[in-house]
Amino acid sequence: MTDPSLPPPPPIQPSSVREPFVALRDEVAKVVVGQEGVLSGLVAALLVRGHVLLEGVPGVAKTLIAKTMASAMELEFTRLQFTPDLMPSDVIGQMIYEQQSSSFSFRKGPVFTNLLLADEINRTPPKTQAAMLEVMEERQVSIGGETRPLPSPFIVVATQNPVEYDGTYPLPEAQLDRFLFKLQVGYPSADQELEVLRRHNTGLDPHDVRAAGVAAVASAANLEAARAEVEALHVDERVLSYMVALTRATRESPSLSLGVSPRGAAALLHASKAWAWLAGRAFVTPDEVKAVVKPTFRHRVQLRSDLEFEGVTADAILDGILATVPAPT
């Protein structure tokens, strides 16, 4: 089962620019069974330079989805396990003194990649999480008096376990706000799980996606061309006003102690344009906005503590907002 808040992913319409992304889904499906909505969310995030937080229990293919997508797009992939003893220098790099030259040189950290998988990001202390802020927002690293840009494209795909909180550090709101989407990765259906076992039974090695037949079908050049088309999509003033109304409704909701910031409203705009482009549209409709509201907003709002204790979810509140804020026709 894919993220229940996302509708079925839009069929990518054929075009010279979209064709590599049609092939991308087929390539990832050679290894990953189901999770089409999560994959579409990752593609949409790439299209608008957004980062993604994947939430799900261990073993539901969070790492495999990211690794396979990077392989199918010829993107450099780095997996970094976030642990309680991880230091900022372990993430961004550090200055090393070279005795032979009596000078300092910079040793790059794992963030110098195209797709960084920040595995269990909530297991590392706030000091190390803070080192990710400049990385995610500015796509650069400042150290030793110099600013070093990261490779392009660059995206952070972070994971966290929603059921195990011992030894974890909740991500601060400022860092959560840097993620375009928070996607929920659920268990597969019975048929999908049976297919997973069939593939393992016939020799599938999830640690070697190339051996599974995954080929590079897209590239950074394809991504740049797609980004240009997404950016050029038309958004009517009425649809923009609808986005503002949804954003402001989260700030006025009595069920929420924290609403969505203007940065979140901008994220909704960009996510809607990416989703419309994937659907083959030259403009954004209210349907695209509705489709991405929950994955874009759910990590940017805070429930009142009493409602959270009662088991109310952010998605339930957002459903109510979507039902009460009138969409333009």
Side-chain angles (χ1 to χ4, degrees):
M1 184 175 67
T2 190
D3 187 331
S5 71
L6 282 170
I12 300 179
Q13 302 299 321
S15 80
S16 58
V17 179
R18 287 189 188 86
E19 281 175 4
F21 299 95
V22 177
L24 176 63
R25 286 183 179 175
D26 295 336
E27 288 302 306
V28 175
K30 291 179 179 178
V31 176
V32 179
V33 179
Q35 306 295 1
E36 293 89 353
V38 175
L39 174 61
S40 293
L42 286 172
V43 173
L46 265 175
L47 290 171
V48 293
R49 300 174 175 83
H51 308 294
V52 177
L53 179 61
L54 300 180
E55 186 174 81
V57 298
V60 290
K62 299 186 296 295
T63 299
L64 185 59
I65 293 170
K67 180 169 65 174
T68 308
M69 190 177 78
S71 180
M73 291 193 65
E74 285 190 311
L75 300 179
E76 183 180 352
F77 174 82
T78 302
R79 177 180 178 271
L80 179 60
Q81 186 68 45
F82 279 66
T83 57
D85 60 348
L86 196 71
M87 300 295 292
S89 58
D90 297 326
V91 177
I92 64 175
Q94 57 187 316
M95 302 299 296
I96 303 295
Y97 182 72
E98 305 285 353
Q99 289 187 343
Q100 292 182 343
S101 60
S102 298
S103 62
F104 285 91
S105 63
F106 177 64
R107 180 177 296 173
K108 292 181 178 180
V111 297
F112 286 85
T113 187
N114 296 130
L115 196 158
L116 174 69
L117 180 68
D119 213 359
E120 296 188 286
I121 192 172
N122 57 333
R123 288 199 175 277
T124 202
K127 184 176 181 180
T128 304
Q129 290 177 2
M132 293 291 293
L133 281 176
E134 182 185 15
V135 168
M136 295 173 67
E137 181 66 19
E138 306 295 340
R139 287 173 166 76
Q140 65 182 28
V141 167
S142 297
I143 190 170
E146 290 186 37
T147 298
R148 295 171 171 83
L150 298 178
S152 180
F154 174 75
I155 180 177
V156 173
V157 178
T159 71
Q160 65 179 16
N161 183 342
V163 297
E164 187 179 355
Y165 295 102
D166 290 342
T168 64
Y169 303 84
L171 297 181
E173 287 73 22
Q175 187 171 358
L176 285 171
D177 207 26
R178 265 64 179 187
F179 287 101
L180 177 71
F181 289 145
K182 178 182 178 182
L183 301 177
Q184 296 170 339
V185 188
Y187 288 116
S189 67
D191 289 341
Q192 290 170 343
E193 197 158 10
L194 179 59
E195 178 60 25
V196 170
L197 294 187
R198 288 194 186 109
R199 295 187 183 189
H200 279 268
N201 191 43
T202 55
L204 172 66
D205 181 2
H207 302 292
D208 188 356
V209 297
R210 290 294 188 187
V214 175
V217 295
S219 65
N222 298 134
L223 184 59
E224 285 303 312
R227 283 175 171 177
E229 287 198 356
V230 171
E231 190 172 342
L233 250 63
H234 174 72
V235 186
D236 188 86
E237 189 74 14
R238 291 168 296 174
V239 177
L240 290 175
S241 296
Y242 180 50
M243 295 178 188
V244 171
L246 290 170
T247 303
R248 297 185 71 84
T250 65
R251 302 173 198 162
E252 298 163 0
S253 171
S255 301
L256 299 175
S257 58
L258 177 67
V260 176
S261 69
R263 181 190 285 120
L268 180 62
L269 168 63
H270 297 308
S272 300
K273 292 175 76 170
W275 204 256
W277 184 84
L278 288 174
R281 299 188 192 277
F283 54 90
V284 176
T285 72
D287 288 339
E288 280 82 51
V289 179
K290 294 175 182 178
V292 297
V293 160
K294 285 190 282 187
T296 308
F297 280 2
R298 63 162 62 108
H299 54 296
R300 292 183 162 91
V301 299
Q302 280 187 357
L303 285 168
R304 280 191 358 232
S305 56
D306 57 323
L307 293 179
E308 192 170 11
F309 181 75
E310 293 172 5
V312 178
T313 65
D315 280 8
I317 303 304
L318 293 172
D319 278 331
I321 289 173
L322 283 168
T324 55
V325 175
T329 58

